[in-house]
Amino acid sequence: MHTENNLQLTDGQKNRLIILICTILAFSVMNGTMFNVAIPDIAETFNLLPSEVSWVLTGYILIFAIGSLIYGKLADIYPIRTLITIGISLFSTGALIGFLSPNYGTLIIARILQALGGAAFPALSFLIPARFLPEQRGRVFGIVSSTVAFASGVGPILGGVIGSTFNWRFLFLFSVAAALAIPLFRKWLPLEEKREGTIDFLGAGLLAAMISSLLFFITSFLWYTALLFFIFSLLFIWRTMKAKHPFIEPEILKNMKYTTTVLTSFLGTFVLFGLIFIIPIMLRNLYGLSTLQIGLVLFPGAMAAGLIGQSGGRIIDSKGGALVVKVALILIGAGSLLISTFTGYAAWVIAPCLLISYLGFPLIQSATADLLSSVLPDEQNGVGIGLFNLLNFVAGAFSSAIFGSILDLNSAHIQFNPFAPAGDSILYSNLYIVLSLFAFLGLTVFTLMFTRNEQRQSTETPISYN
């Protein structure tokens, strides 16, 4: 459908597009990881409980999740250049409001605006290679994976330096600077015509309401939020079955390889976001580390992920995506188990344990994306990748909300890990055990369902003689 755009691009223009993708993703990723190390400072500024401050991340991720799928659908109708401009404008405006926010409510509004704009970044970064660089898609995904991992490494240390030198508000100024890239995006992205199409905004709204009510129930345990979740779930199912073009096409879920891969990615992302949320709070409460010191603990693992991300594409090409997914989940689970065991020891011991889990991050992201592109027909790639992004971000939102609520307890009386030291660290040690179990659950589900499906298909495929 878009091959005419591809034929008009020179090698220089293609390279500029790759730079665009990496630039917008770097801003998006660093915006998240910088705020991870600042969570304790924000909680102190507004006197918030862990479950309350979790909404700085959860609210952002929730809007980000729904928005990423909407932007993917909008890109089938409107030019990507227009969507990028709108996205960066909202992202930078939200950042400016966040910098000036006088209270917690204004801060949440700022983060929502940022999410409304930032949701364009991951959605369009997948679509740009597919639309304009189809013959280089594999290479671009490898570069993108490396960029995400590298930005994840730079984010904590940059957030720590800015937060400790000034304060957490100045982290927003970094995101305001994204607006400077709008002229370059408008110059480098090809012109496109507006196309026909519709979006089920009612279905999108019902899905957002369904997820929001569940998150509110997780953080508040109010009975009426559970009732709202049940009502919105029924309405969303009704809308999906009745709409001519529903927000999420149920047909795609009949592909078992796709469903298994998405579920596996959901569990892996749940664990990674849980680690990213719990670690800074633990390092502040248990070890009394400053924002900069928290960033230094996170830095080695994130940078190691950046290095392995550069070769992730080659590993997948030579060994296959399914094997790499299994290795990634083993790394994530093993790292979480080690953190559980050594929580309570010196803070520097946490860094190499976290590094092991971080190594799984770029591997599972790039491997699942590669698998999805191979198990879906071309006409379902856009919707499939959009739903994949949506569920990953929802996993992150659930993880932050659930563990934020648990951390409100402040202590635990039962110790899950017999090798971990007793004392104030028991609650954190228990949470890391739970995270490792989720990682190994993902490994089990993927191994049983995906591999079995592959074997069934190989036995059913007839042999052809040429």
Side-chain angles (χ1 to χ4, degrees), residues 117-136:
F121 301 168
L124 301 183
S125 67
F126 276 104
L127 286 171
I128 288 173
R131 182 169 298 181
F132 303 115
L133 311 166
E135 74 287 351
Q136 300 182 35

PDB file of all heavy atoms in Angstrom, residues 117-136:
ATOM      1  N   GLY A 117       0.953  12.357  24.341  1.00  0.00           N
ATOM      2  CA  GLY A 117       1.884  12.647  23.244  1.00  0.00           C
ATOM      3  C   GLY A 117       2.900  11.545  23.041  1.00  0.00           C
ATOM      4  O   GLY A 117       3.159  11.101  21.920  1.00  0.00           O
ATOM      5  N   GLY A 118       3.482  11.073  24.145  1.00  0.00           N
ATOM      6  CA  GLY A 118       4.534  10.073  24.056  1.00  0.00           C
ATOM      7  C   GLY A 118       4.069   8.746  23.506  1.00  0.00           C
ATOM      8  O   GLY A 118       4.880   7.966  22.997  1.00  0.00           O
ATOM      9  N   ALA A 119       2.769   8.464  23.586  1.00  0.00           N
ATOM     10  CA  ALA A 119       2.241   7.207  23.050  1.00  0.00           C
ATOM     11  C   ALA A 119       2.484   7.081  21.551  1.00  0.00           C
ATOM     12  O   ALA A 119       2.484   5.972  21.001  1.00  0.00           O
ATOM     13  CB  ALA A 119       0.740   7.106  23.350  1.00  0.00           C
ATOM     14  N   ALA A 120       2.688   8.215  20.877  1.00  0.00           N
ATOM     15  CA  ALA A 120       2.955   8.178  19.437  1.00  0.00           C
ATOM     16  C   ALA A 120       4.310   7.547  19.130  1.00  0.00           C
ATOM     17  O   ALA A 120       4.508   6.965  18.067  1.00  0.00           O
ATOM     18  CB  ALA A 120       2.903   9.590  18.860  1.00  0.00           C
ATOM     19  N   PHE A 121       5.247   7.647  20.065  1.00  0.00           N
ATOM     20  CA  PHE A 121       6.625   7.256  19.771  1.00  0.00           C
ATOM     21  C   PHE A 121       6.796   5.763  19.492  1.00  0.00           C
ATOM     22  O   PHE A 121       7.308   5.392  18.432  1.00  0.00           O
ATOM     23  CB  PHE A 121       7.560   7.695  20.910  1.00  0.00           C
ATOM     24  CG  PHE A 121       7.561   9.185  21.166  1.00  0.00           C
ATOM     25  CD1 PHE A 121       8.147   9.695  22.301  1.00  0.00           C
ATOM     26  CD2 PHE A 121       6.979  10.070  20.276  1.00  0.00           C
ATOM     27  CE1 PHE A 121       8.160  11.064  22.552  1.00  0.00           C
ATOM     28  CE2 PHE A 121       6.971  11.438  20.513  1.00  0.00           C
ATOM     29  CZ  PHE A 121       7.566  11.933  21.656  1.00  0.00           C
ATOM     30  N   PRO A 122       6.398   4.857  20.411  1.00  0.00           N
ATOM     31  CA  PRO A 122       6.598   3.431  20.114  1.00  0.00           C
ATOM     32  C   PRO A 122       5.735   2.944  18.959  1.00  0.00           C
ATOM     33  O   PRO A 122       6.172   2.123  18.152  1.00  0.00           O
ATOM     34  CB  PRO A 122       6.221   2.731  21.429  1.00  0.00           C
ATOM     35  CG  PRO A 122       5.323   3.687  22.129  1.00  0.00           C
ATOM     36  CD  PRO A 122       5.806   5.051  21.756  1.00  0.00           C
ATOM     37  N   ALA A 123       4.498   3.461  18.867  1.00  0.00           N
ATOM     38  CA  ALA A 123       3.601   3.015  17.796  1.00  0.00           C
ATOM     39  C   ALA A 123       4.191   3.341  16.424  1.00  0.00           C
ATOM     40  O   ALA A 123       4.263   2.486  15.533  1.00  0.00           O
ATOM     41  CB  ALA A 123       2.232   3.682  17.965  1.00  0.00           C
ATOM     42  N   LEU A 124       4.630   4.592  16.266  1.00  0.00           N
ATOM     43  CA  LEU A 124       5.125   5.022  14.959  1.00  0.00           C
ATOM     44  C   LEU A 124       6.527   4.500  14.681  1.00  0.00           C
ATOM     45  O   LEU A 124       6.912   4.342  13.523  1.00  0.00           O
ATOM     46  CB  LEU A 124       5.090   6.550  14.870  1.00  0.00           C
ATOM     47  CG  LEU A 124       3.686   7.156  15.063  1.00  0.00           C
ATOM     48  CD1 LEU A 124       3.720   8.671  14.894  1.00  0.00           C
ATOM     49  CD2 LEU A 124       2.681   6.546  14.102  1.00  0.00           C
ATOM     50  N   SER A 125       7.296   4.203  15.725  1.00  0.00           N
ATOM     51  CA  SER A 125       8.641   3.668  15.500  1.00  0.00           C
ATOM     52  C   SER A 125       8.583   2.259  14.926  1.00  0.00           C
ATOM     53  O   SER A 125       9.510   1.815  14.259  1.00  0.00           O
ATOM     54  CB  SER A 125       9.439   3.670  16.807  1.00  0.00           C
ATOM     55  OG  SER A 125       8.900   2.749  17.730  1.00  0.00           O
ATOM     56  N   PHE A 126       7.489   1.524  15.175  1.00  0.00           N
ATOM     57  CA  PHE A 126       7.295   0.218  14.550  1.00  0.00           C
ATOM     58  C   PHE A 126       6.761   0.369  13.133  1.00  0.00           C
ATOM     59  O   PHE A 126       7.078  -0.421  12.248  1.00  0.00           O
ATOM     60  CB  PHE A 126       6.321  -0.625  15.380  1.00  0.00           C
ATOM     61  CG  PHE A 126       6.960  -1.355  16.526  1.00  0.00           C
ATOM     62  CD1 PHE A 126       6.806  -0.911  17.825  1.00  0.00           C
ATOM     63  CD2 PHE A 126       7.727  -2.480  16.299  1.00  0.00           C
ATOM     64  CE1 PHE A 126       7.388  -1.579  18.882  1.00  0.00           C
ATOM     65  CE2 PHE A 126       8.329  -3.159  17.356  1.00  0.00           C
ATOM     66  CZ  PHE A 126       8.161  -2.701  18.654  1.00  0.00           C
ATOM     67  N   LEU A 127       5.928   1.378  12.916  1.00  0.00           N
ATOM     68  CA  LEU A 127       5.284   1.527  11.620  1.00  0.00           C
ATOM     69  C   LEU A 127       6.202   2.157  10.574  1.00  0.00           C
ATOM     70  O   LEU A 127       6.096   1.850   9.392  1.00  0.00           O
ATOM     71  CB  LEU A 127       4.019   2.386  11.765  1.00  0.00           C
ATOM     72  CG  LEU A 127       2.837   1.679  12.433  1.00  0.00           C
ATOM     73  CD1 LEU A 127       1.723   2.662  12.728  1.00  0.00           C
ATOM     74  CD2 LEU A 127       2.329   0.545  11.549  1.00  0.00           C
ATOM     75  N   ILE A 128       7.096   3.056  10.987  1.00  0.00           N
ATOM     76  CA  ILE A 128       7.985   3.720  10.028  1.00  0.00           C
ATOM     77  C   ILE A 128       8.855   2.709   9.279  1.00  0.00           C
ATOM     78  O   ILE A 128       8.931   2.753   8.042  1.00  0.00           O
ATOM     79  CB  ILE A 128       8.838   4.802  10.725  1.00  0.00           C
ATOM     80  CG1 ILE A 128       7.959   6.004  11.089  1.00  0.00           C
ATOM     81  CG2 ILE A 128       9.979   5.259   9.820  1.00  0.00           C
ATOM     82  CD1 ILE A 128       8.656   7.057  11.939  1.00  0.00           C
ATOM     83  N   PRO A 129       9.529   1.767   9.954  1.00  0.00           N
ATOM     84  CA  PRO A 129      10.300   0.772   9.188  1.00  0.00           C
ATOM     85  C   PRO A 129       9.420  -0.089   8.292  1.00  0.00           C
ATOM     86  O   PRO A 129       9.795  -0.385   7.155  1.00  0.00           O
ATOM     87  CB  PRO A 129      10.947  -0.088  10.289  1.00  0.00           C
ATOM     88  CG  PRO A 129      10.944   0.758  11.502  1.00  0.00           C
ATOM     89  CD  PRO A 129       9.715   1.603  11.401  1.00  0.00           C
ATOM     90  N   ALA A 130       8.241  -0.485   8.789  1.00  0.00           N
ATOM     91  CA  ALA A 130       7.358  -1.335   7.990  1.00  0.00           C
ATOM     92  C   ALA A 130       6.857  -0.601   6.749  1.00  0.00           C
ATOM     93  O   ALA A 130       6.706  -1.200   5.688  1.00  0.00           O
ATOM     94  CB  ALA A 130       6.180  -1.804   8.840  1.00  0.00           C
ATOM     95  N   ARG A 131       6.627   0.705   6.875  1.00  0.00           N
ATOM     96  CA  ARG A 131       6.048   1.467   5.777  1.00  0.00           C
ATOM     97  C   ARG A 131       7.093   1.974   4.796  1.00  0.00           C
ATOM     98  O   ARG A 131       6.909   1.905   3.571  1.00  0.00           O
ATOM     99  CB  ARG A 131       5.247   2.643   6.340  1.00  0.00           C
ATOM    100  CG  ARG A 131       4.551   3.481   5.272  1.00  0.00           C
ATOM    101  CD  ARG A 131       3.568   4.471   5.866  1.00  0.00           C
ATOM    102  NE  ARG A 131       2.503   3.787   6.591  1.00  0.00           N
ATOM    103  CZ  ARG A 131       1.498   4.413   7.190  1.00  0.00           C
ATOM    104  NH1 ARG A 131       1.425   5.734   7.151  1.00  0.00           N
ATOM    105  NH2 ARG A 131       0.573   3.725   7.830  1.00  0.00           N
ATOM    106  N   PHE A 132       8.195   2.496   5.313  1.00  0.00           N
ATOM    107  CA  PHE A 132       9.175   3.152   4.446  1.00  0.00           C
ATOM    108  C   PHE A 132      10.457   2.348   4.235  1.00  0.00           C
ATOM    109  O   PHE A 132      11.199   2.607   3.300  1.00  0.00           O
ATOM    110  CB  PHE A 132       9.544   4.532   5.012  1.00  0.00           C
ATOM    111  CG  PHE A 132       8.369   5.450   5.208  1.00  0.00           C
ATOM    112  CD1 PHE A 132       7.997   5.868   6.468  1.00  0.00           C
ATOM    113  CD2 PHE A 132       7.610   5.891   4.121  1.00  0.00           C
ATOM    114  CE1 PHE A 132       6.917   6.711   6.659  1.00  0.00           C
ATOM    115  CE2 PHE A 132       6.517   6.722   4.297  1.00  0.00           C
ATOM    116  CZ  PHE A 132       6.173   7.134   5.577  1.00  0.00           C
ATOM    117  N   LEU A 133      10.741   1.367   5.122  1.00  0.00           N
ATOM    118  CA  LEU A 133      11.990   0.615   5.034  1.00  0.00           C
ATOM    119  C   LEU A 133      11.742  -0.886   5.151  1.00  0.00           C
ATOM    120  O   LEU A 133      12.385  -1.560   5.953  1.00  0.00           O
ATOM    121  CB  LEU A 133      12.948   1.053   6.162  1.00  0.00           C
ATOM    122  CG  LEU A 133      13.162   2.556   6.366  1.00  0.00           C
ATOM    123  CD1 LEU A 133      13.831   2.815   7.706  1.00  0.00           C
ATOM    124  CD2 LEU A 133      13.993   3.127   5.240  1.00  0.00           C
ATOM    125  N   PRO A 134      10.829  -1.443   4.371  1.00  0.00           N
ATOM    126  CA  PRO A 134      10.482  -2.863   4.563  1.00  0.00           C
ATOM    127  C   PRO A 134      11.653  -3.804   4.346  1.00  0.00           C
ATOM    128  O   PRO A 134      11.761  -4.828   5.015  1.00  0.00           O
ATOM    129  CB  PRO A 134       9.380  -3.093   3.521  1.00  0.00           C
ATOM    130  CG  PRO A 134       9.569  -2.019   2.511  1.00  0.00           C
ATOM    131  CD  PRO A 134      10.091  -0.834   3.256  1.00  0.00           C
ATOM    132  N   GLU A 135      12.568  -3.450   3.429  1.00  0.00           N
ATOM    133  CA  GLU A 135      13.697  -4.346   3.149  1.00  0.00           C
ATOM    134  C   GLU A 135      14.767  -4.273   4.237  1.00  0.00           C
ATOM    135  O   GLU A 135      15.657  -5.117   4.286  1.00  0.00           O
ATOM    136  CB  GLU A 135      14.308  -4.012   1.777  1.00  0.00           C
ATOM    137  CG  GLU A 135      15.148  -2.719   1.724  1.00  0.00           C
ATOM    138  CD  GLU A 135      14.321  -1.445   1.789  1.00  0.00           C
ATOM    139  OE1 GLU A 135      13.090  -1.531   1.703  1.00  0.00           O
ATOM    140  OE2 GLU A 135      14.912  -0.358   1.919  1.00  0.00           O
ATOM    141  N   GLN A 136      14.695  -3.269   5.118  1.00  0.00           N
ATOM    142  CA  GLN A 136      15.685  -3.133   6.197  1.00  0.00           C
ATOM    143  C   GLN A 136      15.042  -3.302   7.574  1.00  0.00           C
ATOM    144  O   GLN A 136      15.636  -2.923   8.578  1.00  0.00           O
ATOM    145  CB  GLN A 136      16.353  -1.753   6.121  1.00  0.00           C
ATOM    146  CG  GLN A 136      17.095  -1.478   4.828  1.00  0.00           C
ATOM    147  CD  GLN A 136      17.767  -0.114   4.854  1.00  0.00           C
ATOM    148  OE1 GLN A 136      18.243   0.342   5.884  1.00  0.00           O
ATOM    149  NE2 GLN A 136      17.803   0.536   3.704  1.00  0.00           N
TER     150      GLN A 136
END
